[in-house]
Amino acid sequence: MGDTQVGKQMEEEKIPMMSPYKMGKFELSHRVVLAPLTRSRSFGNVPQPHAVLYYSQRTTKGGLLISEAAGVSDTAQAYRDMPGIWTKEQVEAWKPIVDAVHAKGGIFFCQIWHAGRVSNSVFQPNGQAPISSTDNGLPPQVRANEINVVEFSPPRKLSTEEVPTVVNDFRLAAKNAIEAGFDGVEIHGAHGYLIDQFLKDGINDRKDRYGGCLENRCRFALEIVEAVVDEIGADKVGIRLSPFSSYSQSSDSNPEALALYMAESLNKYKILYCSAVEPRMKTIDEKVVCPYSLVPMRKSFKGTFISAGGYDMEEGNNVVAERRADLVAYGRLFISNPDLPKRFELKAPLNKYNRETFYTPHPVIGYTDYPSLETRV
């Protein structure tokens, strides 16, 4: 085989997601990202020692991992046994987990969040009502494992004067994350949680400076971004958005305008990355269509762009090859395949995931017992 043919064959065999990428000061060895995934195993909202193995299993040298959502305050929690990052105890508990990821050469960002109305008073201080942008509550919903049904308490609308306090909670959480050793933070502005409850006009019914027009509805999110950037530096800050999602009744009348406004506004703060959730397909007249696209948002945002949306390997490769995103985040496949990047590289078979164990409290089953290629017998 001639040199030209060999070169052509090698070019055809390249796997786009396994190519290196420079994200700010971080040298990534591949483009497969561990998405932030709620696992409900942080007893009493404190990260546990079993998380050391869970995250280190999914670490590769030069790989990017985003932690499960960590609450910014004692009012932030949505479900039982989710981790926090607002107390000294929590910060100390995160440290060995972060150290384990760094020991294997991984890059680790902490996702910071507030659930807002997607909560129940049993998770709130003194049994109080969850806070939100609105007084309108949510009906019960089935969790992603398609088994557990979650009920939510009627929320209390934050007063205008209270909003800066919540912004400050995010700032302090970012500071704590850096103290814990994380390389940066991802602000959770997606999936119908508190920030999304301000962004979306299907939820936000406010009449003050945080409601009404698009600029007002985005003010809360951008104030959080500014506060976090001022605290830890723009080169350590990412954000996750889902403008096209209606999860937890978080719809918007003009998601395209919302996506573009946020992408363009974020450029002012020069944050490291924006992670966006792919618009979902819809069946219309028995045809599967998708009326929206992340491409305009990707073109508008000047930093690293991460896309997520239930991709398989081929779809993820296409996203990178077509430059629709720089990196691709994986959730369920990374839960069940701790060595997912290696499997993609080798085009190896994937383990099947079990939804029934997504949110159980067991420290091993459905958590650290999925085999890697090296441990499989």
Side-chain angles (χ1 to χ4, degrees):
M1 184 181 292
D3 290 344
T4 302
Q5 289 177 300
V6 171
K8 184 177 180 181
Q9 181 178 344
M10 289 178 64
E11 184 71 25
E12 289 175 350
E13 291 176 353
K14 283 184 178 178
I15 302 172
M17 282 194 299
M18 299 313 298
S19 61
Y21 177 78
K22 184 174 175 58
M23 184 180 73
K25 63 184 178 183
F26 303 106
E27 300 284 351
L28 304 186
S29 59
H30 59 78
R31 301 172 186 238
V32 182
V33 179
L34 174 66
L37 301 162
T38 294
R39 303 312 315 275
S40 298
R41 288 165 168 88
S42 295
F43 310 139
N45 305 132
V46 177
Q48 298 294 306
H50 47 249
V52 171
L53 178 58
Y54 172 77
Y55 282 107
S56 62
Q57 282 178 330
R58 287 153 183 82
T59 302
T60 53
K61 184 177 182 179
L64 175 62
L65 296 80
I66 315 297
S67 81
E68 58 204 281
V72 300
S73 72
D74 59 357
T75 68
Q77 304 306 91
Y79 314 113
R80 190 176 305 281
D81 295 329
M82 295 189 67
I85 192 94
W86 73 88
T87 72
K88 182 68 175 175
E89 181 185 11
Q90 292 163 347
V91 170
E92 292 301 315
W94 275 115
K95 287 182 178 179
I97 303 168
V98 177
D99 288 346
V101 171
H102 285 162
K104 294 183 69 174
I107 296 138
F108 204 8
F109 273 53
C110 179
Q111 188 186 68
I112 55 176
W113 83 320
H114 195 298
R117 69 174 184 169
V118 187
S119 184
N120 190 289
S121 59
V122 299
F123 302 124
Q124 298 296 315
N126 303 314
Q128 66 191 35
I131 58 175
S132 180
S133 65
T134 179
D135 288 324
N136 294 322
L138 279 172
Q141 68 182 27
V142 179
R143 292 195 74 174
N145 63 0
E146 298 179 352
I147 299 170
N148 303 98
V149 176
V150 187
E151 295 187 354
F152 309 104
S153 300
R156 176 182 67 82
K157 181 187 293 187
L158 282 167
S159 69
T160 306
E161 294 72 27
E162 288 178 296
V163 173
T165 301
V166 182
V167 172
N168 193 54
D169 287 337
F170 276 86
R171 180 188 67 80
L172 292 173
K175 180 181 179 181
N176 287 343
I178 299 303
E179 183 182 340
F182 284 100
D183 297 292
V185 301
E186 177 179 286
I187 299 165
H188 195 343
H191 295 151
Y193 298 116
L194 184 60
I195 293 175
D196 215 21
Q197 290 160 32
F198 277 82
L199 292 174
K200 303 287 184 60
D201 62 10
I203 301 175
N204 189 333
D205 56 359
R206 303 176 71 89
K207 306 299 181 184
D208 62 359
R209 64 195 301 265
Y210 294 99
C213 67
L214 185 56
E215 179 182 359
N216 281 358
R217 286 184 281 114
C218 294
R219 190 185 307 278
F220 177 59
L222 296 175
E223 286 182 351
I224 289 173
V225 170
E226 182 174 20
V228 171
V229 165
D230 287 347
E231 182 63 42
I232 67 172
D235 61 336
K236 302 181 188 71
V237 179
I239 190 169
R240 191 172 220 212
L241 300 170
S242 60
F244 303 102
S245 170
S246 59
Y247 189 74
S248 293
Q249 298 187 344
S250 59
S251 62
D252 191 82
S253 62
N254 191 345
E256 291 172 301
L258 173 60
L260 283 177
Y261 183 87
M262 282 299 295
E264 291 167 357
S265 299
L266 289 169
N267 289 330
K268 171 185 175 183
Y269 305 101
K270 299 180 180 180
I271 64 172
L272 185 62
Y273 73 80
C274 177
S275 176
V277 179
E278 189 77 37
R280 297 295 182 185
M281 302 295 183
K282 296 181 179 180
T283 302
I284 301 176
D285 296 330
E286 298 183 352
K287 293 182 179 180
V288 178
V289 298
C290 187
Y292 302 117
S293 170
L294 292 178
V295 172
M297 188 180 186
R298 190 266 199 279
K299 289 181 177 179
S300 296
F301 182 68
K302 298 188 184 303
T304 292
F305 195 79
I306 304 175
S307 183
Y311 299 123
D312 59 18
M313 185 183 76
E314 181 180 1
E315 291 165 338
N317 277 325
N318 289 340
V319 165
V320 174
E322 296 168 7
R323 300 185 179 180
R324 289 185 280 134
D326 300 300
L327 311 173
V328 181
Y330 284 87
R332 290 167 291 180
L333 294 185
F334 230 142
I335 286 176
S336 54
N337 297 275
D339 55 349
L340 187 65
K342 175 60 69 174
R343 288 175 188 260
F344 282 170
E345 183 180 14
L346 300 177
K347 298 181 180 178
L350 301 181
N351 300 321
K352 294 182 179 180
Y353 54 81
N354 180 2
R355 287 179 178 268
E356 294 184 13
T357 61
F358 278 5
Y359 308 113
T360 64
H362 202 286
V364 175
I365 297 174
Y367 192 57
T368 57
D369 60 343
Y370 284 106
S372 65
L373 292 172
E374 294 178 352
T375 59
R376 191 175 58 180
V377 293

